[in-house]
Amino acid sequence: MSYFPNFGKIQYEGQGSKNPFAFKFYDAERIINGKPMKDHLKFAMSWWHTLCANMTDPFGQGTIDRTYGKTDPMDIAKAKVDAGFEFMEKLGIEYFCFHDVDIAPEGKTFAESKKNLWEIVDYIKSKMEGTNIELLWGTANLFGNPRYMHGAGTSCEADVFAYAASQIKNAIDATIALGGKGYVFWGGREGYETLLNTNMAIELDNYARLMKMAVNYARSKGYDGDFYVEPKPKEPTKHQYDFDSATVIGFLRKYGLDGDFKLNIEANHATLAGHTFEHELRVARINGFFGSIDANQGDEHLGWDTDQFPCDVKTATCAMYEVIKSGGFTNGGINFDAKVRRPSFTFDDIALAYISGMDTFALGLIKAFEVIDDDRIDSFVRDRYKSYKSGIGADIMNGTATLESLEEYTLKTGEPKVSSGKQEYLESILTQILYR
Ligand code: XUL
Ligand code: CO
């Protein structure tokens, strides 16, 4: 039985193709810089948006039927596994990501939820055998259930903290059982609505305590993968603690979590923080925290997390430039944390959305290497800082300069000579490379 009967294995047909169910740029096995495209990109399917989201919004019911022809919640969960694996195999996607509650329904008690989870984990494990499909990362949903209305690790209620920790324990075990090399903390409701009722100091300390427990537990079970924090500045809470890359890096360093954690950077979250996607990736890269990507895009006219499929090649190019300069993905990859628009309610639409997103990032990869090979932009930047290579600049860089020595220098040399930043020239190079 097929859940996606209208298309078979999606093939690369090249730029001239008008077949909607074909890749125009993503040629999985094409070698670029010594590696197949698929290994540069490591595309992953998000279980939640792809198999679960029914597109409910505050104004109306869902538009996508997610029962897969079943009625019993466990049968639906198993049908999602079948549908998910069919989807990944047809799209040539070799990784997936999940929250505990995406894969298995919550029971009436924690024990029942745990039993459901393990039944589905075993089922997924059996499906993975004989395929190339791997788990990119797992996580626990610590934001959907009403118990988490005040947060999870940052909840004012110790019992809620304990419940969250129990969920994390099982989500880590599930991640390990499925061979995952990543475990994500996205701070769902780890933030606040008003300082009038909030002890920020306790909340942040507890959040770090929860992360430390997770690291200690996973390492004791032999897990050698990465932990990630996924920054987001707002939504659902007014102020999320994991605001942006810089904030999270400061937090991880303060609490001694920097040896185990990297960042999972989401494009739309960067936009909400008032940054570009590439800014967030650059901050992660230069601080040694580059880990994984949640690929999507927002809408420039809307101020919320629309989680649209990425179709902006310029942004994908600038993002892939950062990925390449970080040395590429190790344990991480590109997870499409993206959903179709509510009126695009067919399963075909979901496939077409992935094809578009994968082509966009494939083109981004190709163009990023072209920018690097072209070298006009990189050489401009190298040249721009050349004054630090010798003389007084070298003294500043190697720490021998002091305020006194620099004053003495300035008294001698007088007014500095400065050069143009040439932004427009550099933008024209990017345009030339993108559209040639
Ligand atoms: C929410 C979001 C999450 C995380 C995983 O904005 O991005 O789906 O990626 O919890
Ligand atoms: Co995300």
PDB file of all heavy atoms in Angstrom, residues 48 99 137 139 143 184 186 230 232 264 266 269 294 305 337, ligand 1:
ATOM      1  N   TRP A  48       7.391  15.965  12.481  1.00  0.00           N
ATOM      2  CA  TRP A  48       6.200  16.709  12.919  1.00  0.00           C
ATOM      3  C   TRP A  48       5.480  17.409  11.788  1.00  0.00           C
ATOM      4  O   TRP A  48       4.270  17.219  11.616  1.00  0.00           O
ATOM      5  CB  TRP A  48       6.546  17.658  14.074  1.00  0.00           C
ATOM      6  CG  TRP A  48       7.685  18.626  13.852  1.00  0.00           C
ATOM      7  CD1 TRP A  48       7.593  19.952  13.596  1.00  0.00           C
ATOM      8  CD2 TRP A  48       9.087  18.332  13.911  1.00  0.00           C
ATOM      9  NE1 TRP A  48       8.854  20.511  13.476  1.00  0.00           N
ATOM     10  CE2 TRP A  48       9.782  19.550  13.668  1.00  0.00           C
ATOM     11  CE3 TRP A  48       9.839  17.183  14.133  1.00  0.00           C
ATOM     12  CZ2 TRP A  48      11.185  19.632  13.640  1.00  0.00           C
ATOM     13  CZ3 TRP A  48      11.234  17.263  14.106  1.00  0.00           C
ATOM     14  CH2 TRP A  48      11.874  18.473  13.865  1.00  0.00           C
ATOM     15  N   HIS A  99      10.288  14.603  17.511  1.00  0.00           N
ATOM     16  CA  HIS A  99      10.005  14.802  18.931  1.00  0.00           C
ATOM     17  C   HIS A  99       9.343  13.507  19.403  1.00  0.00           C
ATOM     18  O   HIS A  99       8.618  12.876  18.626  1.00  0.00           O
ATOM     19  CB  HIS A  99       8.975  15.904  19.179  1.00  0.00           C
ATOM     20  CG  HIS A  99       9.333  17.260  18.671  1.00  0.00           C
ATOM     21  ND1 HIS A  99       9.135  17.642  17.382  1.00  0.00           N
ATOM     22  CD2 HIS A  99       9.822  18.349  19.313  1.00  0.00           C
ATOM     23  CE1 HIS A  99       9.499  18.907  17.235  1.00  0.00           C
ATOM     24  NE2 HIS A  99       9.926  19.365  18.393  1.00  0.00           N
ATOM     25  N   TRP A 137      18.561  13.735  14.454  1.00  0.00           N
ATOM     26  CA  TRP A 137      18.444  14.067  15.870  1.00  0.00           C
ATOM     27  C   TRP A 137      17.055  13.786  16.421  1.00  0.00           C
ATOM     28  O   TRP A 137      16.084  13.724  15.683  1.00  0.00           O
ATOM     29  CB  TRP A 137      18.873  15.494  16.185  1.00  0.00           C
ATOM     30  CG  TRP A 137      18.304  16.655  15.412  1.00  0.00           C
ATOM     31  CD1 TRP A 137      18.929  17.324  14.397  1.00  0.00           C
ATOM     32  CD2 TRP A 137      17.045  17.338  15.613  1.00  0.00           C
ATOM     33  NE1 TRP A 137      18.130  18.354  13.947  1.00  0.00           N
ATOM     34  CE2 TRP A 137      16.969  18.393  14.681  1.00  0.00           C
ATOM     35  CE3 TRP A 137      15.976  17.162  16.481  1.00  0.00           C
ATOM     36  CZ2 TRP A 137      15.888  19.260  14.584  1.00  0.00           C
ATOM     37  CZ3 TRP A 137      14.883  18.029  16.402  1.00  0.00           C
ATOM     38  CH2 TRP A 137      14.850  19.059  15.460  1.00  0.00           C
ATOM     39  N   THR A 139      14.398  14.674  19.927  1.00  0.00           N
ATOM     40  CA  THR A 139      14.154  15.672  20.967  1.00  0.00           C
ATOM     41  C   THR A 139      12.847  15.318  21.689  1.00  0.00           C
ATOM     42  O   THR A 139      12.121  14.423  21.256  1.00  0.00           O
ATOM     43  CB  THR A 139      14.088  17.103  20.388  1.00  0.00           C
ATOM     44  OG1 THR A 139      14.010  18.039  21.460  1.00  0.00           O
ATOM     45  CG2 THR A 139      12.888  17.308  19.473  1.00  0.00           C
ATOM     46  N   PHE A 143       6.587  21.397  25.302  1.00  0.00           N
ATOM     47  CA  PHE A 143       5.859  22.663  25.157  1.00  0.00           C
ATOM     48  C   PHE A 143       4.385  22.484  24.807  1.00  0.00           C
ATOM     49  O   PHE A 143       3.584  23.369  25.037  1.00  0.00           O
ATOM     50  CB  PHE A 143       6.536  23.543  24.090  1.00  0.00           C
ATOM     51  CG  PHE A 143       6.957  22.798  22.841  1.00  0.00           C
ATOM     52  CD1 PHE A 143       6.092  22.653  21.772  1.00  0.00           C
ATOM     53  CD2 PHE A 143       8.213  22.224  22.754  1.00  0.00           C
ATOM     54  CE1 PHE A 143       6.465  21.955  20.627  1.00  0.00           C
ATOM     55  CE2 PHE A 143       8.595  21.516  21.609  1.00  0.00           C
ATOM     56  CZ  PHE A 143       7.730  21.378  20.552  1.00  0.00           C
ATOM     57  N   VAL A 184      18.405  17.571  20.419  1.00  0.00           N
ATOM     58  CA  VAL A 184      18.129  19.013  20.383  1.00  0.00           C
ATOM     59  C   VAL A 184      17.352  19.491  21.612  1.00  0.00           C
ATOM     60  O   VAL A 184      16.415  18.832  22.061  1.00  0.00           O
ATOM     61  CB  VAL A 184      17.334  19.372  19.103  1.00  0.00           C
ATOM     62  CG1 VAL A 184      16.715  20.762  19.189  1.00  0.00           C
ATOM     63  CG2 VAL A 184      18.242  19.287  17.878  1.00  0.00           C
ATOM     64  N   TRP A 186      15.228  22.637  21.963  1.00  0.00           N
ATOM     65  CA  TRP A 186      14.627  23.901  21.534  1.00  0.00           C
ATOM     66  C   TRP A 186      13.785  24.363  22.711  1.00  0.00           C
ATOM     67  O   TRP A 186      12.931  23.620  23.205  1.00  0.00           O
ATOM     68  CB  TRP A 186      13.752  23.741  20.281  1.00  0.00           C
ATOM     69  CG  TRP A 186      12.942  24.999  20.089  1.00  0.00           C
ATOM     70  CD1 TRP A 186      13.435  26.264  19.939  1.00  0.00           C
ATOM     71  CD2 TRP A 186      11.517  25.120  20.137  1.00  0.00           C
ATOM     72  NE1 TRP A 186      12.396  27.165  19.874  1.00  0.00           N
ATOM     73  CE2 TRP A 186      11.218  26.492  20.001  1.00  0.00           C
ATOM     74  CE3 TRP A 186      10.470  24.213  20.286  1.00  0.00           C
ATOM     75  CZ2 TRP A 186       9.913  26.980  20.000  1.00  0.00           C
ATOM     76  CZ3 TRP A 186       9.174  24.691  20.285  1.00  0.00           C
ATOM     77  CH2 TRP A 186       8.902  26.058  20.135  1.00  0.00           C
ATOM     78  N   GLU A 230      18.711  25.158  20.050  1.00  0.00           N
ATOM     79  CA  GLU A 230      18.179  25.821  18.852  1.00  0.00           C
ATOM     80  C   GLU A 230      17.662  27.200  19.261  1.00  0.00           C
ATOM     81  O   GLU A 230      16.591  27.318  19.865  1.00  0.00           O
ATOM     82  CB  GLU A 230      17.050  24.959  18.277  1.00  0.00           C
ATOM     83  CG  GLU A 230      16.467  25.514  16.991  1.00  0.00           C
ATOM     84  CD  GLU A 230      15.367  24.613  16.425  1.00  0.00           C
ATOM     85  OE1 GLU A 230      15.503  23.374  16.481  1.00  0.00           O
ATOM     86  OE2 GLU A 230      14.376  25.166  15.940  1.00  0.00           O
ATOM     87  N   LYS A 232      15.934  30.811  19.521  1.00  0.00           N
ATOM     88  CA  LYS A 232      14.719  31.464  19.000  1.00  0.00           C
ATOM     89  C   LYS A 232      14.385  32.603  19.955  1.00  0.00           C
ATOM     90  O   LYS A 232      14.395  32.396  21.167  1.00  0.00           O
ATOM     91  CB  LYS A 232      13.565  30.464  18.932  1.00  0.00           C
ATOM     92  CG  LYS A 232      12.302  31.014  18.275  1.00  0.00           C
ATOM     93  CD  LYS A 232      11.232  29.937  18.085  1.00  0.00           C
ATOM     94  CE  LYS A 232      10.045  30.491  17.334  1.00  0.00           C
ATOM     95  NZ  LYS A 232       8.975  29.491  17.130  1.00  0.00           N
ATOM     96  N   ASN A 264      21.859  24.391  16.795  1.00  0.00           N
ATOM     97  CA  ASN A 264      21.036  24.032  15.642  1.00  0.00           C
ATOM     98  C   ASN A 264      20.342  25.324  15.228  1.00  0.00           C
ATOM     99  O   ASN A 264      19.479  25.831  15.941  1.00  0.00           O
ATOM    100  CB  ASN A 264      20.013  22.959  16.033  1.00  0.00           C
ATOM    101  CG  ASN A 264      19.120  22.578  14.861  1.00  0.00           C
ATOM    102  OD1 ASN A 264      19.606  22.461  13.734  1.00  0.00           O
ATOM    103  ND2 ASN A 264      17.832  22.396  15.098  1.00  0.00           N
ATOM    104  N   GLU A 266      18.082  27.814  13.037  1.00  0.00           N
ATOM    105  CA  GLU A 266      16.910  27.821  12.145  1.00  0.00           C
ATOM    106  C   GLU A 266      16.778  29.186  11.483  1.00  0.00           C
ATOM    107  O   GLU A 266      16.819  30.232  12.148  1.00  0.00           O
ATOM    108  CB  GLU A 266      15.651  27.479  12.947  1.00  0.00           C
ATOM    109  CG  GLU A 266      14.407  27.525  12.087  1.00  0.00           C
ATOM    110  CD  GLU A 266      13.211  26.823  12.707  1.00  0.00           C
ATOM    111  OE1 GLU A 266      13.390  25.806  13.398  1.00  0.00           O
ATOM    112  OE2 GLU A 266      12.093  27.305  12.482  1.00  0.00           O
ATOM    113  N   HIS A 269      14.013  31.545  12.741  1.00  0.00           N
ATOM    114  CA  HIS A 269      14.296  32.050  14.090  1.00  0.00           C
ATOM    115  C   HIS A 269      15.288  33.210  14.019  1.00  0.00           C
ATOM    116  O   HIS A 269      15.194  34.167  14.798  1.00  0.00           O
ATOM    117  CB  HIS A 269      14.867  30.940  14.975  1.00  0.00           C
ATOM    118  CG  HIS A 269      13.918  29.802  15.203  1.00  0.00           C
ATOM    119  ND1 HIS A 269      14.252  28.709  15.961  1.00  0.00           N
ATOM    120  CD2 HIS A 269      12.641  29.594  14.787  1.00  0.00           C
ATOM    121  CE1 HIS A 269      13.223  27.860  16.001  1.00  0.00           C
ATOM    122  NE2 HIS A 269      12.243  28.379  15.289  1.00  0.00           N
ATOM    123  N   ASP A 294      18.138  23.997  10.818  1.00  0.00           N
ATOM    124  CA  ASP A 294      16.721  23.816  10.513  1.00  0.00           C
ATOM    125  C   ASP A 294      16.406  24.762   9.372  1.00  0.00           C
ATOM    126  O   ASP A 294      16.371  25.993   9.552  1.00  0.00           O
ATOM    127  CB  ASP A 294      15.840  24.134  11.733  1.00  0.00           C
ATOM    128  CG  ASP A 294      15.576  22.896  12.576  1.00  0.00           C
ATOM    129  OD1 ASP A 294      16.220  21.856  12.331  1.00  0.00           O
ATOM    130  OD2 ASP A 294      14.729  22.966  13.485  1.00  0.00           O
ATOM    131  N   ASP A 305       6.707  32.899  13.112  1.00  0.00           N
ATOM    132  CA  ASP A 305       7.477  31.777  12.587  1.00  0.00           C
ATOM    133  C   ASP A 305       6.619  31.008  11.589  1.00  0.00           C
ATOM    134  O   ASP A 305       5.920  30.068  11.946  1.00  0.00           O
ATOM    135  CB  ASP A 305       7.833  30.896  13.807  1.00  0.00           C
ATOM    136  CG  ASP A 305       8.915  29.890  13.528  1.00  0.00           C
ATOM    137  OD1 ASP A 305       9.541  29.980  12.466  1.00  0.00           O
ATOM    138  OD2 ASP A 305       9.136  29.018  14.385  1.00  0.00           O
ATOM    139  N   ASP A 337      12.654  22.012   8.749  1.00  0.00           N
ATOM    140  CA  ASP A 337      11.655  22.337   9.774  1.00  0.00           C
ATOM    141  C   ASP A 337      10.675  23.295   9.094  1.00  0.00           C
ATOM    142  O   ASP A 337      10.633  24.494   9.384  1.00  0.00           O
ATOM    143  CB  ASP A 337      12.329  22.978  10.992  1.00  0.00           C
ATOM    144  CG  ASP A 337      11.391  23.018  12.187  1.00  0.00           C
ATOM    145  OD1 ASP A 337      10.209  22.687  12.010  1.00  0.00           O
ATOM    146  OD2 ASP A 337      11.844  23.380  13.288  1.00  0.00           O
TER     147      ASP A 337
HETATM  148  C1  XUL B   1       9.893  25.563  16.763  1.00  0.00           C
HETATM  149  C2  XUL B   1      10.965  24.697  16.247  1.00  0.00           C
HETATM  150  C3  XUL B   1      10.946  23.285  16.720  1.00  0.00           C
HETATM  151  C4  XUL B   1      12.309  22.721  16.966  1.00  0.00           C
HETATM  152  C5  XUL B   1      12.314  21.354  17.578  1.00  0.00           C
HETATM  153  O1  XUL B   1       9.961  26.864  16.284  1.00  0.00           O
HETATM  154  O2  XUL B   1      11.766  25.105  15.456  1.00  0.00           O
HETATM  155  O3  XUL B   1      10.256  22.516  15.790  1.00  0.00           O
HETATM  156  O4  XUL B   1      13.022  22.641  15.776  1.00  0.00           O
HETATM  157  O5  XUL B   1      11.670  21.328  18.789  1.00  0.00           O
END
